[in-house]
């Protein structure tokens, strides 16, 4: 029997970027929020520092920061007629399993979409006609425009310490930036990372061929930085151990050093680690979600956590 816990306003399933951002914003709005994360707590100081973080066997081969597919995994099928089969070997898809989620071991490329991507169905229909997209294809417009999202892209870039060069400031094309990007209100919070020799050679060759090379925007701080919430970043050391590793220099924009500690400092937030959500609960007519069931994976105890709002942030 699962132990039924007191109801809260919000339960967040999974504490990566999406869960972390929502935890910060919703606790700021005064809601009582509980986050359930199947992974453990790890910190930059204890877990991602030199020299231990350079352990390629542990992080690259044994996927230490990632979902353990022997215990639990996603299933895959190519069409509704097939039987879905479990994915038992990680390939290029490497979902995280730790406080901070996949963004502890992500790379940090941070592209913005252009308006075109938000209206992909309308664009296809306009160009190729209403019958072009088959009936059983679920492709849709997002129902939100780039202009509406621009302030939030900007907020994220400042939160995550994104380094880059603007190519389009309020409609005015900028030298050295991406001339095809959608208009942005202001520059990136940090200048671009220093290019390596290969990038310099490639840029020169591209420019000579008439193209417009530009530095890739990325959440790797090019210099020491304090974000608007007061989270502190060190400067990138160009170690090359971004993907699959936590950052040794606290330079990579990750939720465990930004939004999550801010939520954790508030009395209306509670994080429960090693808490694996197994079921979404609904009311008797099946129309309203009422909470979740989860298991403490350290001792097998099962709990029911009722909530007014359930947010699935599990990748
Ligand atoms: C190796 C790698 C490199 C990447 N590089 C880039 C990049 O350069 N640029 C870019 O834009 N994107 C990149 N991505 C993608 C990006 O990191 C993810 O899209 C993003 O971090 C997902 O955030 P999320 O909050 O949705 O999920 P996650 O950050 O994955 O968080 C989900 C959390 O939910 C937990 N969870 C899952 N199921 C349960 C459950 N049943 N109960 C409790 N907890 C659960 C997980 O343990 C995890 O901590 C990369 C991803 C990976 C894996
Ligand atoms: S120091 Fe730079 S290259 Fe190394 S992991 Fe951190 S952000 Fe990535």
């Amino acid at each position: 029997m699962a132990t039924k816990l007191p109801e809260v306003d919000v339960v967040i399933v999974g504490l990566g970027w999406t869960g972390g951002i929502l935890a910060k914003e919703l606790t700021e709005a005064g809601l009582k929020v509980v986050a359930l994360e199947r992974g453990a707590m790890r910190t930059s100081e204890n877990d991602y520092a030199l020299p231990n973080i350079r352990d390629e066997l542990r992080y690259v081969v044994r996927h230490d920061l990632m979902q353990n597919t022997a215990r639990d995994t996603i299933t895959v099928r190519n069409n509704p007629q097939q039987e879905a089969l479990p994915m038992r070997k990680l390939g290029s898809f490497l979902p995280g399993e730790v406080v901070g989620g996949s963004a502890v071991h992500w790379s940090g490329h941070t592209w913005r979409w252009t308006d075109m991507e938000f209206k992909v169905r309308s664009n296809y229909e306009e160009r190729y006609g209403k019958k072009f997209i088959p009936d059983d294809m679920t492709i849709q417009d997002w129902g939100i425009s780039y202009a509406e999202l621009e302030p939030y892209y900007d907020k994220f870039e400042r939160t995550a310490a994104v380094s880059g060069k603007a190519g389009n400031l309020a409609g005015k094309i900028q030298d050295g930036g991406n001339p095809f990007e959608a208009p942005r209100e202001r520059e990136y919070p940090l200048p671009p990372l220093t290019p390596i020799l290969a990038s310099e050679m490639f840029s020169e060759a591209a420019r000579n061929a008439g193209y417009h090379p530009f530095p890739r925007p990325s959440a790797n701080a090019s210099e020491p930085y304090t974000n608007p919430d007061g989270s502190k970043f060190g400067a990138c050391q160009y170690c090359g151990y971004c993907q699959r590793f936590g950052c040794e220099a606290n330079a990579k924009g990750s939720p465990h050093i930004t939004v999550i500690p801010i939520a954790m400092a508030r009395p209306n937030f509670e994080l429960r680690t090693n808490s694996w959500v197994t079921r979404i609960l609904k009311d008797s007519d099946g129309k309203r979600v009422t909470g979740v069931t989860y298991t403490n994976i350290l001792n097998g105890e099962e709990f029911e956590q009722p909530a007014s709002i359930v947010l699935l942030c599990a990748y």
Side-chain angles (χ1 to χ4, degrees):
M1 275 289 285
T3 306
K4 191 166 179 177
L5 301 168
E7 179 165 352
V8 294
D9 296 320
V10 183
V11 66
I12 295 178
V13 182
L15 201 61
W17 262 135
T18 52
I21 290 170
L22 285 159
K24 174 180 169 279
E25 297 291 326
L26 296 176
T27 48
E28 203 165 296
L31 299 181
K32 164 90 181 126
V33 179
V34 165
L36 301 171
E37 167 55 51
R38 69 182 171 187
M41 177 51 118
R42 297 198 200 181
T43 63
S44 296
E45 306 79 71
N46 296 332
D47 302 285
Y48 308 136
L50 284 172
N52 295 352
I53 192 60
R54 294 277 178 89
D55 187 338
E56 294 180 14
L57 182 63
R58 178 174 173 184
Y59 293 104
V60 178
V61 180
R62 296 185 177 150
H63 303 120
D64 191 66
L65 289 168
M66 297 147 208
Q67 175 166 8
N68 178 352
T69 53
R71 194 183 63 203
D72 173 46
T73 190
I74 58 164
T75 56
V76 188
R77 59 181 172 171
N78 300 301
N79 61 57
Q81 282 71 47
Q82 279 183 346
E83 184 180 351
L85 296 173
M87 185 183 88
R88 292 291 177 205
K89 203 170 164 199
L90 291 173
S92 58
F93 176 57
L94 300 167
E97 187 172 310
V98 64
V99 172
S102 305
V104 171
H105 67 272
W106 76 324
S107 306
H109 303 200
T110 37
W111 302 103
R112 291 182 177 200
W113 275 8
T114 63
D115 212 32
M116 179 189 77
E117 278 121 348
F118 292 102
K119 296 178 188 155
V120 71
R121 184 175 189 108
S122 313
N123 287 334
Y124 275 127
E125 288 185 348
E126 203 175 294
R127 188 162 185 149
Y128 300 110
K130 289 266 181 213
K131 291 201 160 48
F132 180 71
I133 299 173
D135 290 340
D136 62 351
M137 218 176 192
T138 55
I139 185 169
Q140 287 183 29
D141 289 356
W142 282 72
I144 190 167
S145 67
Y146 171 79
E148 286 169 286
L149 268 191
E150 203 281 335
Y152 300 98
Y153 274 125
D154 181 82
K155 186 172 181 179
F156 180 77
E157 287 165 0
R158 274 158 174 77
T159 298
V162 176
S163 303
K165 171 79 191 84
N168 181 342
L169 277 178
K172 210 160 165 243
I173 301 303
Q174 306 292 311
D175 267 355
N178 172 10
F180 304 110
E181 77 173 350
R184 52 172 55 249
E185 279 305 307
R186 48 181 178 165
E187 256 296 354
Y188 287 94
L190 287 163
L193 291 158
T194 305
I196 58 171
L197 179 63
S199 319
E200 280 178 348
M201 292 167 71
F202 186 82
S203 294
E204 194 187 338
R207 244 186 316 273
N208 291 341
Y211 294 109
H212 307 87
F214 58 89
R216 171 174 52 76
S218 64
N220 315 102
S222 54
E223 46 191 59
Y225 174 71
T226 304
N227 83 5
D229 299 314
S231 309
K232 291 195 185 311
F233 291 73
C236 174
Q237 302 299 304
Y238 302 89
C239 72
Y241 282 78
C242 266
Q243 198 181 106
R244 298 167 189 241
F245 300 85
C247 175
E248 65 193 45
N250 233 34
K252 186 164 59 169
S254 302
H256 75 285
I257 61 163
T258 54
V259 286
I260 294 172
I262 291 169
M264 285 180 70
R266 294 187 176 139
N268 50 338
F269 179 73
E270 190 189 335
L271 166 61
R272 297 183 201 141
T273 53
N274 302 297
S275 298
W276 183 6
V277 174
T278 49
R279 211 173 306 136
I280 309 291
L281 303 169
K282 294 183 191 164
D283 62 8
S284 51
D285 67 6
K287 293 215 167 118
R288 199 177 143 265
V289 166
T290 57
V292 299
T293 302
Y294 71 94
T295 303
N296 177 335
I297 56 174
L298 300 180
N299 60 15
E301 264 188 272
E302 210 183 13
F303 297 92
E304 185 183 322
Q305 177 60 68
S308 309
I309 301 172
V310 173
L311 297 170
L312 293 182
C313 301
Y315 208 127

